Amino acid sequence: DAGVHSKAWYAATCDRKMAEDALYQSNKDGSFLIRKSSGQDSRQPYTLVVFYNRRVYNIPIRFIESTRQYALGREKCGEERFDSVAEIVENHQHIPLVLIDSQNNTKDSTKLKHIVRVS
């Protein structure tokens, strides 16, 4: 268990479009939620959805079978790994999360500041 089910930021029944719509409505930099990933893949069970600078970023949360830990985005050298999804959220409420826009090849960063609830 990733420690997500009792959390305010976990939108269990939310799909990608609902998540993005909710974040656009919040319109606050650092708004976020976590949803189940669209693909039913045990290696990428969740997605962190973040609003920043009028954009929504969908960041995959990977589950690393060998260490039973979680990491954000594509696998990279020296990446940060966490024992739970909750730890990722707590970490990035204090330490800015790097947001990479692959279309415009730009980098931004923001902390996770505002929990968005999807009804």
Side-chain angles (χ1 to χ4, degrees):
D1 183 67
V4 297
H5 294 285
S6 60
K7 301 292 194 230
W9 39 254
Y10 181 57
T13 56
C14 182
D15 63 19
R16 180 175 183 140
K17 183 172 181 348
M18 283 167 65
E20 290 182 358
D21 290 349
L23 287 170
Y24 280 121
Q25 281 168 0
S26 80
N27 200 27
K28 286 201 284 262
D29 284 351
S31 296
F32 75 98
L33 59 81
I34 287 184
R35 63 175 175 80
K36 280 193 175 113
S37 286
S38 313
Q40 292 303 309
D41 185 348
S42 61
R43 288 181 313 248
Q44 190 183 306
Y46 303 104
T47 301
L48 169 60
V49 191
V50 183
F51 182 88
Y52 184 77
N53 202 10
R54 300 189 304 282
R55 298 251 348 240
V56 170
Y57 295 83
N58 284 278
I59 304 162
I61 298 174
R62 283 181 299 108
F63 178 65
I64 302 148
E65 193 68 54
S66 59
T67 59
R68 320 243 5 116
Q69 289 175 303
Y70 294 87
L72 288 173
R74 288 199 202 104
E75 194 169 340
K76 48 209 162 301
C77 268
E79 67 188 357
E80 278 188 285
R81 293 180 172 189
F82 301 90
D83 292 327
S84 69
V85 173
E87 272 186 32
I88 293 176
V89 172
E90 285 154 21
N91 180 62
H92 289 297
Q93 285 175 323
H94 305 288
I95 297 164
L97 172 69
V98 176
L99 303 168
I100 297 167
D101 179 341
S102 49
Q103 285 162 329
N104 303 319
N105 211 8
T106 56
K107 273 188 188 178
D108 275 310
S109 65
T110 185
K111 292 179 187 170
L112 300 178
K113 293 188 273 223
H114 312 285
I115 293 170
V116 172
R117 291 185 160 131
V118 181
S119 44

